[in-house]
Amino acid sequence: LSNLQSSINSKNDLGVYTLSTASFVVTFACLFLPSILVKYGGYKWPLVINEVFVSTFVMANYYPKFWTLIPSSVFFGISNSILWTFQGSLISHLAKEYALYSKRKADALLIRFFGFFYIVYSMSKNIFIK
C-alpha cells in the first residue's frame, strides 16, 4: 500500500504528503522509541502495537482525505520504526536462544536466521510480479 500511495492518492499530492509524513516520523521514532519499548514491552507487545497502527493506516486509505491519511501516516511511521528495529532484535534474540539449546555457534545461526528472513521477505514483495 505504501508503494502505491503517490499513485492512488495523487489528487493534491495527498500520497506524497502521506509518505513524507511517515518517513519523517520513522526517522525520529527510530532514535527513541525502540529502546523504550524493549525495556517496558519486551518483544511481543510492540509487534502487536505495530499491527494495530498498520491497520489504522490501511483503514484510512478507504476514505483518503488529508484528515484521515496524515494522522494515520504518523501511526504508520511509528509502526515502521517498531517493525524494522524489532525484526532485527527479535531474530538476534531467537538465534542466540536457539544456539544455547542446540549447542551451535550463535554467529552461524544468526546468519542463517537472517538469511531465511530475507528470503521470505523478498518472496513476499516479488510474488505478484509477472
Side-chain angles (χ1 to χ4, degrees), residues 33-55:
L33 193 59
S35 60
I36 294 169
L37 289 175
V38 167
K39 184 176 181 180
Y40 295 109
Y43 288 102
K44 177 183 171 185
W45 291 109
L47 292 175
V48 172
I49 292 168
N50 172 54
E51 291 303 317
V52 171
F53 285 173
V54 169
S55 297

Side-chain angles (χ1 to χ4, degrees), residues 26-84:
V26 76
T27 302
F28 290 104
C30 279
L31 296 175
F32 308 107
L33 193 59
S35 60
I36 294 169
L37 289 175
V38 167
K39 184 176 181 180
Y40 295 109
Y43 288 102
K44 177 183 171 185
W45 291 109
L47 292 175
V48 172
I49 292 168
N50 172 54
E51 291 303 317
V52 171
F53 285 173
V54 169
S55 297
T56 61
F57 182 70
V58 170
M59 287 186 289
N61 275 279
Y62 283 109
Y63 190 72
K65 303 289 181 192
F66 271 95
W67 63 273
T68 60
L69 281 180
I70 299 301
S72 68
S73 69
V74 170
F75 290 123
F76 187 63
I78 291 170
S79 72
N80 279 339
S81 72
I82 294 170
L83 178 67
W84 285 109

Side-chain angles (χ1 to χ4, degrees), residues 5-18:
Q5 197 61 240
S6 61
S7 299
I8 60 177
N9 295 319
S10 60
K11 187 177 179 183
N12 296 328
D13 291 331
L14 178 58
V16 173
Y17 288 127
T18 300

